[in-house]
């Protein structure tokens, strides 16, 4: 995905699955602590349902929507990790495995061990 986009501008956009069907609305965006690059989006999948995390890479912006290259059913079955706080390394690994994505290699800017990563976009203002 384009890395020069303000992650907060993704919030409120429609999210589409690989077929172009709406899966929900982007509720929150999570940044990698080491790089500051938007890494995950929490997508509200319905009025009375939960947020499902989707990877922003290899997703893309199509028009005014975020297109996620996965089937709607897979997205809805994503691990329920809650929103509004850091993703732990273990939670992020769960998501990588769920989507069948290659795990990031150590040394590529991705923290390892017990370091938290996947902070909420805009949270740096709240911490100041």
């Amino acid at each position: 995905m384009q890395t020069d986009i303000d992650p907060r501008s993704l919030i409120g956009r429609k999210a589409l699955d690989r077929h172009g069907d709406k899966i929900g609305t982007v509720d929150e965006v999570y940044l990698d602590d080491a790089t500051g690059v938007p890494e995950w989006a929490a997508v509200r999948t319905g009025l009375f349902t939960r947020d499902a995390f989707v990877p922003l890479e290899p997703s893309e912006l199509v028009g005014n929507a975020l297109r996620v290259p996965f089937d709607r059913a897979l997205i809805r079955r994503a691990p329920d990790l809650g929103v509004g706080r850091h993703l732990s390394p273990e939670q992020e690994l769960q998501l990588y495995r769920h989507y069948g994505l290659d795990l990031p290699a150590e040394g590529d800017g991705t923290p390892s061990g017990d370091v938290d990563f996947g902070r909420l976009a805009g949270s740096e203002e709240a911490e100041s």
Side-chain angles (χ1 to χ4, degrees):
M1 193 183 102
Q2 209 179 323
T3 57
D4 61 342
I5 190 165
D6 179 354
R8 290 170 287 206
S9 72
L10 293 173
I11 296 171
R13 289 183 189 243
K14 287 190 301 187
L16 310 174
D17 72 0
R18 67 185 301 160
H19 304 291
D21 296 324
K22 184 177 178 186
I23 54 172
T25 304
V26 177
D27 207 15
E28 296 181 349
V29 176
Y30 289 75
L31 309 177
D32 183 283
D33 277 346
T35 64
V37 173
E39 191 167 10
W40 300 96
V43 175
R44 173 69 55 181
T45 59
L47 188 59
F48 298 108
T49 57
R50 65 182 180 86
D51 284 83
F53 283 92
V54 297
L56 289 174
E57 180 63 41
S59 300
E60 62 183 345
L61 290 175
V62 177
N64 209 19
L66 177 69
R67 188 174 197 148
V68 182
F70 300 100
D71 288 327
R72 182 181 193 158
L74 181 67
I75 295 165
R76 288 184 180 241
R77 288 193 313 267
D80 188 358
L81 303 176
V83 294
R85 54 186 158 70
H86 269 82
L87 289 175
S88 72
E90 293 79 17
Q91 290 172 321
E92 192 160 20
L93 289 175
Q94 278 184 293
L95 291 169
Y96 274 102
R97 289 183 186 121
H98 176 76
Y99 288 107
L101 298 171
D102 291 334
L103 299 175
E106 284 197 39
D108 68 354
T110 304
S112 60
D114 63 353
V115 177
D116 285 338
F117 55 108
R119 74 177 186 273
L120 187 61
S123 62
E124 59 276 358
E125 292 103 19
E127 293 171 2
S128 299

